[in-house]
mmCIF file of all heavy atoms in Angstrom:
data_model
loop_
_atom_site.group_PDB
_atom_site.id
_atom_site.type_symbol
_atom_site.label_atom_id
_atom_site.label_comp_id
_atom_site.label_asym_id
_atom_site.label_seq_id
_atom_site.Cartn_x
_atom_site.Cartn_y
_atom_site.Cartn_z
ATOM 1 N N VAL A 19 -3.380 -2.127 2.336
ATOM 2 C CA VAL A 19 -4.777 -1.792 2.035
ATOM 3 C C VAL A 19 -4.949 -1.184 0.628
ATOM 4 O O VAL A 19 -3.982 -0.614 0.140
ATOM 5 C CB VAL A 19 -5.468 -0.842 3.053
ATOM 6 C CG1 VAL A 19 -5.437 -1.458 4.520
ATOM 7 C CG2 VAL A 19 -4.792 0.476 3.106
ATOM 8 N N HIS A 20 -6.036 -1.407 -0.001
ATOM 9 C CA HIS A 20 -6.280 -0.811 -1.289
ATOM 10 C C HIS A 20 -6.686 0.661 -1.240
ATOM 11 O O HIS A 20 -7.487 1.001 -0.510
ATOM 12 C CB HIS A 20 -7.336 -1.561 -2.076
ATOM 13 C CG HIS A 20 -7.640 -1.027 -3.411
ATOM 14 N ND1 HIS A 20 -6.748 -1.127 -4.467
ATOM 15 C CD2 HIS A 20 -8.704 -0.301 -3.825
ATOM 16 C CE1 HIS A 20 -7.259 -0.497 -5.558
ATOM 17 N NE2 HIS A 20 -8.495 -0.078 -5.165
ATOM 18 N N ASN A 21 -6.010 1.445 -1.984
ATOM 19 C CA ASN A 21 -6.379 2.930 -2.129
ATOM 20 C C ASN A 21 -6.014 3.359 -3.493
ATOM 21 O O ASN A 21 -5.101 2.774 -4.152
ATOM 22 C CB ASN A 21 -5.699 3.810 -1.022
ATOM 23 C CG ASN A 21 -4.217 4.010 -1.283
ATOM 24 O OD1 ASN A 21 -3.466 3.048 -1.626
ATOM 25 N ND2 ASN A 21 -3.732 5.199 -1.126
ATOM 26 N N ASN A 22 -6.683 4.326 -3.983
ATOM 27 C CA ASN A 22 -6.446 4.861 -5.351
ATOM 28 C C ASN A 22 -6.361 6.375 -5.331
ATOM 29 O O ASN A 22 -7.334 6.995 -5.040
ATOM 30 C CB ASN A 22 -7.569 4.441 -6.286
ATOM 31 C CG ASN A 22 -7.261 4.850 -7.751
ATOM 32 O OD1 ASN A 22 -6.300 5.550 -8.003
ATOM 33 N ND2 ASN A 22 -8.095 4.341 -8.647
ATOM 34 N N THR A 23 -5.149 6.872 -5.489
ATOM 35 C CA THR A 23 -4.949 8.316 -5.404
ATOM 36 C C THR A 23 -4.461 8.894 -6.727
ATOM 37 O O THR A 23 -3.891 9.959 -6.765
ATOM 38 C CB THR A 23 -3.827 8.642 -4.287
ATOM 39 O OG1 THR A 23 -2.623 7.986 -4.678
ATOM 40 C CG2 THR A 23 -4.251 8.110 -2.983
ATOM 41 N N GLU A 24 -4.657 8.162 -7.807
ATOM 42 C CA GLU A 24 -4.088 8.480 -9.141
ATOM 43 C C GLU A 24 -4.530 9.881 -9.499
ATOM 44 O O GLU A 24 -3.766 10.822 -9.901
ATOM 45 C CB GLU A 24 -4.457 7.483 -10.226
ATOM 46 C CG GLU A 24 -3.843 7.790 -11.581
ATOM 47 C CD GLU A 24 -4.090 6.663 -12.536
ATOM 48 O OE1 GLU A 24 -4.541 5.600 -12.147
ATOM 49 O OE2 GLU A 24 -3.915 6.918 -13.725
ATOM 50 N N LYS A 25 -5.896 10.193 -9.463
ATOM 51 C CA LYS A 25 -6.383 11.460 -9.865
ATOM 52 C C LYS A 25 -5.864 12.595 -8.940
ATOM 53 O O LYS A 25 -5.639 13.730 -9.415
ATOM 54 C CB LYS A 25 -7.897 11.470 -9.907
ATOM 55 C CG LYS A 25 -8.498 10.607 -11.006
ATOM 56 C CD LYS A 25 -10.023 10.614 -11.009
ATOM 57 C CE LYS A 25 -10.598 9.828 -12.209
ATOM 58 N NZ LYS A 25 -12.066 9.854 -12.231
ATOM 59 N N TRP A 26 -5.829 12.254 -7.711
ATOM 60 C CA TRP A 26 -5.300 13.215 -6.628
ATOM 61 C C TRP A 26 -3.846 13.604 -6.938
ATOM 62 O O TRP A 26 -3.508 14.778 -6.854
ATOM 63 C CB TRP A 26 -5.535 12.620 -5.245
ATOM 64 C CG TRP A 26 -4.995 13.388 -4.058
ATOM 65 C CD1 TRP A 26 -4.102 12.887 -3.162
ATOM 66 C CD2 TRP A 26 -5.281 14.727 -3.666
ATOM 67 N NE1 TRP A 26 -3.978 13.872 -2.234
ATOM 68 C CE2 TRP A 26 -4.574 14.985 -2.543
ATOM 69 C CE3 TRP A 26 -6.147 15.708 -4.224
ATOM 70 C CZ2 TRP A 26 -4.615 16.171 -1.826
ATOM 71 C CZ3 TRP A 26 -6.186 16.933 -3.585
ATOM 72 C CH2 TRP A 26 -5.493 17.244 -2.366
ATOM 73 N N ILE A 27 -3.082 12.611 -7.227
ATOM 74 C CA ILE A 27 -1.663 12.909 -7.479
ATOM 75 C C ILE A 27 -1.583 13.769 -8.786
ATOM 76 O O ILE A 27 -0.763 14.666 -8.878
ATOM 77 C CB ILE A 27 -0.881 11.582 -7.725
ATOM 78 C CG1 ILE A 27 -0.737 10.831 -6.370
ATOM 79 C CG2 ILE A 27 0.545 11.866 -8.205
ATOM 80 C CD1 ILE A 27 -0.048 11.545 -5.267
ATOM 81 N N GLU A 28 -2.313 13.486 -9.748
ATOM 82 C CA GLU A 28 -2.360 14.329 -10.980
ATOM 83 C C GLU A 28 -2.695 15.767 -10.658
ATOM 84 O O GLU A 28 -2.040 16.658 -11.167
ATOM 85 C CB GLU A 28 -3.333 13.785 -11.949
ATOM 86 C CG GLU A 28 -2.957 12.438 -12.679
ATOM 87 C CD GLU A 28 -3.988 11.976 -13.686
ATOM 88 O OE1 GLU A 28 -4.977 12.640 -13.871
ATOM 89 O OE2 GLU A 28 -3.821 10.939 -14.200
ATOM 90 N N LYS A 29 -3.700 15.964 -9.807
ATOM 91 C CA LYS A 29 -4.188 17.258 -9.462
ATOM 92 C C LYS A 29 -3.010 18.064 -8.708
ATOM 93 O O LYS A 29 -2.714 19.196 -8.991
ATOM 94 C CB LYS A 29 -5.354 17.187 -8.601
ATOM 95 C CG LYS A 29 -6.253 18.440 -8.572
ATOM 96 C CD LYS A 29 -5.827 19.280 -7.420
ATOM 97 C CE LYS A 29 -6.638 20.549 -7.391
ATOM 98 N NZ LYS A 29 -6.135 21.552 -6.358
ATOM 99 N N VAL A 30 -2.435 17.431 -7.615
ATOM 100 C CA VAL A 30 -1.480 18.129 -6.787
ATOM 101 C C VAL A 30 -0.193 18.362 -7.639
ATOM 102 O O VAL A 30 0.497 19.380 -7.398
ATOM 103 C CB VAL A 30 -1.166 17.427 -5.468
ATOM 104 C CG1 VAL A 30 -2.466 17.316 -4.601
ATOM 105 C CG2 VAL A 30 -0.601 15.996 -5.695
ATOM 106 N N THR A 31 0.126 17.478 -8.512
ATOM 107 C CA THR A 31 1.310 17.707 -9.357
ATOM 108 C C THR A 31 1.121 18.844 -10.353
ATOM 109 O O THR A 31 2.039 19.662 -10.511
ATOM 110 C CB THR A 31 1.576 16.363 -10.178
ATOM 111 O OG1 THR A 31 1.833 15.305 -9.318
ATOM 112 C CG2 THR A 31 2.887 16.690 -11.046
ATOM 113 N N LYS A 32 -0.108 19.026 -10.837
ATOM 114 C CA LYS A 32 -0.431 20.117 -11.624
ATOM 115 C C LYS A 32 -0.311 21.446 -10.892
ATOM 116 O O LYS A 32 0.243 22.476 -11.338
ATOM 117 C CB LYS A 32 -1.888 19.975 -12.188
ATOM 118 C CG LYS A 32 -2.279 21.063 -13.126
ATOM 119 C CD LYS A 32 -3.681 20.852 -13.700
ATOM 120 C CE LYS A 32 -4.090 21.916 -14.677
ATOM 121 N NZ LYS A 32 -5.464 21.677 -15.162
ATOM 122 N N ASP A 33 -0.770 21.422 -9.593
ATOM 123 C CA ASP A 33 -0.677 22.584 -8.716
ATOM 124 C C ASP A 33 0.796 22.847 -8.452
ATOM 125 O O ASP A 33 1.252 24.083 -8.430
ATOM 126 C CB ASP A 33 -1.342 22.348 -7.342
ATOM 127 C CG ASP A 33 -2.889 22.390 -7.480
ATOM 128 O OD1 ASP A 33 -3.390 22.915 -8.479
ATOM 129 O OD2 ASP A 33 -3.544 21.810 -6.603
ATOM 130 N N LYS A 34 1.626 21.815 -8.270
ATOM 131 C CA LYS A 34 3.025 21.981 -8.000
ATOM 132 C C LYS A 34 3.724 22.638 -9.206
ATOM 133 O O LYS A 34 4.702 23.508 -9.042
ATOM 134 C CB LYS A 34 3.645 20.638 -7.715
ATOM 135 C CG LYS A 34 5.087 20.630 -7.349
ATOM 136 C CD LYS A 34 5.547 19.214 -7.003
ATOM 137 C CE LYS A 34 7.014 19.076 -6.691
ATOM 138 N NZ LYS A 34 7.487 17.731 -6.429
ATOM 139 N N ASN A 35 3.298 22.316 -10.407
ATOM 140 C CA ASN A 35 4.012 22.786 -11.626
ATOM 141 C C ASN A 35 3.379 24.145 -12.036
ATOM 142 O O ASN A 35 3.881 24.721 -13.003
ATOM 143 C CB ASN A 35 3.896 21.845 -12.710
ATOM 144 C CG ASN A 35 4.648 20.544 -12.432
ATOM 145 O OD1 ASN A 35 5.661 20.606 -11.717
ATOM 146 N ND2 ASN A 35 4.177 19.454 -13.004
ATOM 147 N N ARG A 36 2.346 24.588 -11.365
ATOM 148 C CA ARG A 36 1.553 25.806 -11.794
ATOM 149 C C ARG A 36 2.377 27.051 -11.559
ATOM 150 O O ARG A 36 2.338 27.985 -12.298
ATOM 151 C CB ARG A 36 0.269 25.828 -11.114
ATOM 152 C CG ARG A 36 -0.541 27.092 -11.327
ATOM 153 C CD ARG A 36 -1.860 27.066 -10.601
ATOM 154 N NE ARG A 36 -2.530 28.344 -10.527
ATOM 155 C CZ ARG A 36 -3.674 28.573 -9.858
ATOM 156 N NH1 ARG A 36 -4.277 27.547 -9.297
ATOM 157 N NH2 ARG A 36 -4.162 29.764 -9.797
ATOM 158 N N VAL A 37 3.156 27.032 -10.492
ATOM 159 C CA VAL A 37 3.889 28.282 -10.069
ATOM 160 C C VAL A 37 5.204 28.269 -10.812
ATOM 161 O O VAL A 37 6.118 27.540 -10.590
ATOM 162 C CB VAL A 37 4.135 28.297 -8.553
ATOM 163 C CG1 VAL A 37 4.906 29.580 -8.200
ATOM 164 C CG2 VAL A 37 2.796 28.270 -7.814
ATOM 165 N N ARG A 38 5.296 29.144 -11.833
ATOM 166 C CA ARG A 38 6.447 29.354 -12.583
ATOM 167 C C ARG A 38 7.517 30.311 -11.898
ATOM 168 O O ARG A 38 7.064 31.259 -11.332
ATOM 169 C CB ARG A 38 6.201 29.808 -14.037
ATOM 170 C CG ARG A 38 5.427 28.799 -14.830
ATOM 171 C CD ARG A 38 5.414 29.202 -16.292
ATOM 172 N NE ARG A 38 4.686 28.268 -17.159
ATOM 173 C CZ ARG A 38 3.447 28.383 -17.439
ATOM 174 N NH1 ARG A 38 2.696 29.398 -17.103
ATOM 175 N NH2 ARG A 38 2.896 27.459 -18.319
ATOM 176 N N SER A 39 8.764 29.978 -12.077
ATOM 177 C CA SER A 39 9.689 30.822 -11.427
ATOM 178 C C SER A 39 9.926 32.096 -12.275
ATOM 179 O O SER A 39 10.330 33.162 -11.640
ATOM 180 C CB SER A 39 11.102 30.100 -11.327
ATOM 181 O OG SER A 39 10.889 28.967 -10.545
ATOM 182 N N TYR A 40 9.773 32.088 -13.471
ATOM 183 C CA TYR A 40 10.013 33.242 -14.401
ATOM 184 C C TYR A 40 8.854 33.530 -15.279
ATOM 185 O O TYR A 40 8.476 32.613 -16.095
ATOM 186 C CB TYR A 40 11.293 33.047 -15.149
ATOM 187 C CG TYR A 40 11.598 34.153 -16.103
ATOM 188 C CD1 TYR A 40 11.856 35.455 -15.580
ATOM 189 C CD2 TYR A 40 11.750 33.925 -17.463
ATOM 190 C CE1 TYR A 40 12.192 36.511 -16.406
ATOM 191 C CE2 TYR A 40 12.045 35.051 -18.354
ATOM 192 C CZ TYR A 40 12.247 36.308 -17.784
ATOM 193 O OH TYR A 40 12.602 37.371 -18.609
ATOM 194 N N ASP A 41 8.261 34.594 -15.115
ATOM 195 C CA ASP A 41 7.048 35.027 -16.004
ATOM 196 C C ASP A 41 7.583 35.771 -17.143
ATOM 197 O O ASP A 41 7.908 37.015 -17.032
ATOM 198 C CB ASP A 41 6.104 35.768 -15.209
ATOM 199 C CG ASP A 41 4.778 35.976 -15.891
ATOM 200 O OD1 ASP A 41 4.779 36.122 -17.174
ATOM 201 O OD2 ASP A 41 3.695 36.067 -15.285
ATOM 202 N N LYS A 42 7.714 35.210 -18.287
ATOM 203 C CA LYS A 42 8.294 35.841 -19.498
ATOM 204 C C LYS A 42 7.467 37.021 -19.927
ATOM 205 O O LYS A 42 7.990 38.059 -20.409
ATOM 206 C CB LYS A 42 8.398 34.885 -20.694
ATOM 207 C CG LYS A 42 9.449 33.757 -20.397
ATOM 208 C CD LYS A 42 9.610 32.884 -21.663
ATOM 209 C CE LYS A 42 10.652 31.833 -21.381
ATOM 210 N NZ LYS A 42 10.773 30.948 -22.539
ATOM 211 N N LYS A 43 6.131 36.848 -19.734
ATOM 212 C CA LYS A 43 5.231 38.009 -20.205
ATOM 213 C C LYS A 43 5.513 39.273 -19.341
ATOM 214 O O LYS A 43 5.621 40.352 -19.844
ATOM 215 C CB LYS A 43 3.832 37.530 -20.120
ATOM 216 C CG LYS A 43 2.804 38.586 -20.597
ATOM 217 C CD LYS A 43 1.381 38.077 -20.587
ATOM 218 C CE LYS A 43 0.415 39.095 -21.075
ATOM 219 N NZ LYS A 43 -1.007 38.556 -20.943
#
């Protein structure tokens, strides 16, 4: 079936990368 999750994947990937392991500040 046709589905388009491109924007959704971009959003959740951004959330995934948002949490940094080391806060230099």
